[in-house]
Amino acid sequence: MTAQPTLERKIGPLQATAINMTQMCGIGPFVTIPAMVATIGGPEAMFGWIIGAILALADGLIWAELGAAMPGAGGTYIYLREAFQYRTGRLMPFLFVWSAVLFIPLIMSTGIIGLVQYLGYLIPGVSGESGNTALGKLIGVGITLLIMVALFRKIGQIGKLTTVLFVVMLIAVLTTIVAAFSHFSGAQAFAFTPGAFSFGGGSFWAGLGAGLIIAIYDYLGYNTTAYLGAEMRDPGRTIPLSIVASIVGIMSLYFLLQIGVLGSVPLEELKSASSVASTVLEQAWGSGVARVVTVLIVVAAVGSVFAGLLGGSRVPYEAARDKVFLPMFGKLHPRLHLPTAGVLAMGAITMIGSLFTLTTIINAAVATLVIIQSLAQVAAIIVLRRRQPDLPRPYRQWLYPVPTIIALVGWVYIYISAEWLSIGLSLCWIAIGCVAFLVYAKTERTWPFGPKDIKETFVTG
């Protein structure tokens, strides 16, 4: 019999950190800094990035412990499968995969939307005041197709390609930061709105919830290596290191970028800017340099979507192998050893999402992610500590349970701060998923229509 292809452990710590940071800092801060300033009301928006980083780090430490202990393809799917099998069988991992095939590519589609927005600085007619034009949307679909084609290569080659994209991202961000500080006004950057921090109704507190949705959207991606756990070398060390290093590194870049932009672009102009980095660069060094760096920003955005679809495509793979999702998602390309159906399906949803507006997609994606992934993993780390005390844990969460509690409070706050439409849609999607699970469970004769299949896979090795 011919041996079935398997995922290969080819990604080391440097490449893992590059994958996370490339996914985190694509087009995100370049298009959301104006939205953050407008939402919170002024220069005090800089503190929104810090609070977002604290939440990201607290949540990242949950990912670090779970990923190091259970390094498999799909990340959250495995953690929820192991934690919730005792009471609700396969319900929680099924709901996660059901939702992940939607919210992961939706988040990637925001990268395409922002990428085309910056192309508008280079190519007139691509983007307009109300969003990307028909031409821009067509270009976005074409770029997504090219990214999908680029993903069809071996993981070792992908790791090297992602490192190159990571370097491009660093050059783009650091150049923009230097340009901003070359004509920086401290008085302008730190001209906080009077009474903004007043607990009696200051603008900072009023806008913090919506601002955190933007901030956490920009930090998302620190978990990409956990999705790729089956392809990490020495995952017990590589996964935690890549998560913590990427969060700290990106937080530093975002904070410097936000302060620099606040001190170089007038507040009212900043709130309505569509390509703020290009504006900063043009003011500092002229349109020629601005155009060159804008190209780098577009390439960085491509890298972010590339890394996101790379990790996301692995999510339904493990579920399909467990017969919890469609069987076609469990098959690997015979030569390249990648989940073909995952890449194609998530790429297609990314193309569809790129046809909508940025804020709508961000709210819908974050709301769905919070309720079925972030809050579920908070419960998972607690349940596994109690249910599987003998589970080998190469990394144990620092100061447990403090980071877990911070993550719980932060995610609940973000969820209730989302638009009511997004909350309603997320709950409806999960309700439909529950119905789909009952159909699946009836067919497979598993809980609640049969016995629970309890396997402590990583305890027994």
Side-chain angles (χ1 to χ4, degrees):
M1 294 179 63
T2 304
Q4 293 297 312
T6 58
L7 296 173
E8 301 173 326
R9 295 193 180 275
K10 297 285 189 179
I11 303 175
L14 178 61
Q15 292 175 333
T17 304
I19 287 172
N20 280 352
M21 292 184 71
T22 303
Q23 155 64 351
M24 293 169 76
C25 186
I27 201 66
F30 296 113
V31 295
T32 56
I33 280 179
M36 175 72 94
V37 173
T39 299
I40 294 185
E44 53 274 10
M46 66 179 70
F47 297 106
W49 296 109
I50 296 177
I51 296 173
I54 292 172
L55 173 57
L57 186 57
D59 186 62
L61 295 181
I62 296 176
W63 280 93
E65 176 170 320
L66 296 176
M70 295 172 284
T76 300
Y77 167 78
I78 294 174
Y79 317 149
L80 302 190
R81 181 191 68 190
E82 296 295 307
F84 292 98
Q85 61 183 326
Y86 304 99
R87 290 189 178 274
T88 56
R90 298 178 176 180
L91 173 62
M92 288 303 293
F94 176 91
L95 287 178
F96 167 71
V97 178
W98 169 265
S99 301
V101 294
L102 177 68
F103 73 71
I104 291 177
L106 281 183
I107 291 172
M108 295 308 100
S109 70
T110 63
I112 299 296
I113 295 169
L115 177 157
V116 175
Q117 192 172 309
Y118 265 77
L119 277 178
Y121 181 79
L122 302 171
I123 307 172
V126 169
S127 63
E129 292 183 3
S130 59
N132 294 334
T133 63
L135 174 60
K137 291 175 180 179
L138 182 62
I139 291 174
V141 170
I143 291 174
T144 306
L145 284 171
L146 290 176
I147 292 171
M148 292 167 63
V149 171
L151 282 167
F152 277 85
R153 61 191 68 242
K154 289 193 172 184
I155 192 64
Q157 296 173 325
I158 286 177
K160 294 175 183 177
L161 177 57
T162 307
T163 302
V164 173
L165 293 171
F166 167 67
V167 172
V168 172
M169 180 273 291
L170 275 182
I171 293 172
V173 175
L174 292 175
T175 303
T176 306
I177 290 172
V178 171
F181 279 97
S182 68
H183 57 288
F184 179 78
S185 169
Q188 178 178 301
F190 298 100
F192 301 129
T193 305
F197 299 103
S198 171
F199 287 104
S203 60
F204 176 77
W205 304 109
L208 181 59
L212 277 180
I213 292 176
I214 296 171
I216 206 64
Y217 157 77
D218 283 327
Y219 282 116
L220 288 177
Y222 53 83
N223 52 4
T224 304
T225 47
Y227 288 142
L228 298 167
E231 294 158 276
M232 296 288 134
R233 295 200 310 262
D234 189 12
R237 174 176 175 271
T238 299
I239 292 176
L241 178 63
S242 64
I243 289 173
V244 175
S246 59
I247 293 172
V248 173
I250 290 295
M251 178 198 70
S252 303
L253 291 175
Y254 282 0
F255 191 64
L256 287 173
L257 185 61
Q258 175 71 88
I259 293 177
V261 169
L262 284 167
S264 59
V265 181
L267 187 61
E268 292 307 314
E269 182 182 345
L270 175 58
K271 289 180 180 179
S272 59
S274 60
S275 52
V276 64
S278 301
T279 301
V280 168
L281 290 157
E282 185 172 334
Q283 289 178 353
W285 299 321
S287 61
V289 174
R291 287 179 175 277
V292 171
V293 180
T294 298
V295 171
L296 296 182
I297 291 172
V298 170
V299 174
V302 169
S304 176
V305 178
F306 179 87
L309 290 179
L310 169 67
S313 64
R314 270 63 175 172
V315 170
Y317 168 72
E318 190 71 22
R321 289 182 32 162
D322 285 346
K323 297 183 179 180
V324 179
F325 207 60
L326 300 175
M328 64 179 182
F329 285 92
K331 297 178 181 179
L332 295 180
H333 191 284
R335 182 173 59 86
L336 302 176
H337 299 179
L338 58 86
T340 306
V343 173
L344 295 177
M346 291 200 172
I349 296 173
T350 299
M351 285 188 281
I352 295 171
S354 69
L355 303 177
F356 295 88
T357 60
L358 188 67
T359 53
T360 300
I361 297 297
I362 289 176
N363 267 274
V366 170
T368 307
L369 174 147
V370 167
I371 197 169
I372 200 60
Q373 180 179 60
S374 303
L375 292 177
Q377 283 195 176
V378 168
I381 192 172
I382 297 171
V383 169
L384 287 168
R385 286 250 182 162
R386 182 169 59 88
R387 289 279 194 173
Q388 297 187 15
D390 297 328
L391 175 68
R393 291 176 170 85
Y395 164 80
R396 297 179 71 89
Q397 187 186 89
W398 302 327
L399 303 176
Y400 177 86
V402 175
T404 300
I405 294 172
I406 292 173
L408 173 62
V409 173
W411 287 122
V412 170
Y413 181 63
I414 283 179
Y415 188 70
I416 62 177
S417 299
E419 296 176 355
W420 284 107
L421 177 61
S422 298
I423 293 174
L425 289 174
S426 68
L427 293 175
C428 287
W429 183 254
I430 292 170
I432 296 170
C434 288
V435 174
F437 172 76
L438 292 175
V439 174
Y440 155 77
K442 183 71 173 178
T443 304
E444 293 292 320
R445 295 181 181 179
T446 186
W447 184 90
F449 302 104
K452 299 169 188 170
D453 184 18
I454 298 177
K455 294 180 181 178
E456 296 180 338
T457 307
F458 293 90
V459 173
T460 60

